[in-house]
Amino acid sequence: MDEYARKIGDDLIRASETEGFTAQRSVIEELFPYIYVASRRMSLRAISRWLNEAHDVKLSQVAISRAMKDQEKHWERMADSIQPSATIYAECHGEDPIEILQDEELFKRLLMSRPENLCEGVDDPDPTEKEYFEATRTLENDWFSLPEAVRNQCNRHLAFWEA
């Protein structure tokens, strides 16, 4: 590599360490459900500006627009990430995963009345207690913490929804 290219590369790395956060792909993936809801009341330009001003997150209007045009990919990814947890939680309680995901009160009731022999005798693979608690945390933090409009959009991409 020539000296000039190395200098440019070093400067680029230094700039990336001091500039605001701009890793657009991962930010878009994490923020997409919230951007979706906000886009009902705010323009994509306003969302981009707010993210930059309020949190120093630099997402261009173009990047946000691209994500909104390719919503299905985001909903599918979200469904793929929540489905295993819903399956484990539902199996351990002898319930239908769809019912769990649609009814937060059922989820909470089951959590409060957790039987001692949780997950015994469920289909293979037998979830461990650790897997159960991880599934519970995922459902609480990554599903029920989201607005209902987001969960409704994601529902249609869950594989067991069609079964």
Side-chain angles (χ1 to χ4, degrees), residues 87 89-97 99-100 106 110:
T87 301
Y89 189 86
E91 280 183 358
C92 287
H93 288 283
E95 294 287 336
D96 183 357
E99 294 298 318
I100 299 290
L106 173 62
L110 293 171

Side-chain angles (χ1 to χ4, degrees), residues 34 104 139-147 151:
Y34 305 99
E104 186 173 5
L139 292 175
E140 285 176 323
N141 296 334
D142 299 345
W143 184 254
F144 290 114
S145 67
L146 295 171
R151 296 190 315 253

Side-chain angles (χ1 to χ4, degrees), residues 8-157:
I8 292 171
D10 289 342
D11 286 348
L12 176 61
I13 291 172
R14 264 191 305 283
S16 74
E17 293 168 349
T18 59
E19 291 293 317
F21 188 69
T22 59
Q24 289 190 357
R25 182 178 298 164
S26 64
V27 172
I28 286 281
E29 289 174 1
E30 294 295 322
L31 293 179
F32 178 78
Y34 305 99
I35 291 169
Y36 170 79
V37 173
S39 71
R40 293 173 162 188
R41 294 183 174 257
M42 294 173 74
S43 71
L44 302 184
R45 177 175 285 141
I47 292 170
S48 174
R49 185 175 41 249
W50 184 87
L51 288 169
N52 187 27
E53 291 171 1
H55 295 281
D56 199 27
V57 173
K58 292 172 178 51
L59 287 177
S60 69
Q61 176 188 348
V62 172
I64 294 171
S65 178
R66 203 173 314 134
M68 293 301 292
K69 287 178 183 171
D70 198 12
Q71 290 183 31
E72 299 308 306
K73 174 183 79 172
H74 294 281
W75 297 127
E76 288 170 9
R77 192 190 74 258
M78 187 176 162
D80 289 346
S81 73
I82 203 71
Q83 190 163 319
S85 295
T87 301
I88 289 170
Y89 189 86
E91 280 183 358
C92 287
H93 288 283
E95 294 287 336
D96 183 357
I98 295 169
E99 294 298 318
I100 299 290
L101 292 176
Q102 286 186 319
D103 189 347
E104 186 173 5
E105 291 306 312
L106 173 62
F107 170 78
K108 289 177 181 178
R109 245 187 346 269
L110 293 171
L111 188 58
M112 298 304 287
S113 65
R114 189 170 82 82
E116 256 183 61
N117 60 350
L118 184 68
C119 299
E120 282 185 17
V122 297
D123 294 338
D124 211 25
D126 187 17
T128 65
E129 196 159 318
K130 179 181 177 197
E131 290 172 320
Y132 170 80
F133 287 115
E134 287 172 2
T136 301
R137 187 173 36 252
T138 297
L139 292 175
E140 285 176 323
N141 296 334
D142 299 345
W143 184 254
F144 290 114
S145 67
L146 295 171
E148 188 174 350
V150 169
R151 296 190 315 253
N152 289 339
Q153 283 295 319
C154 185
N155 276 340
R156 58 196 167 86
H157 295 283

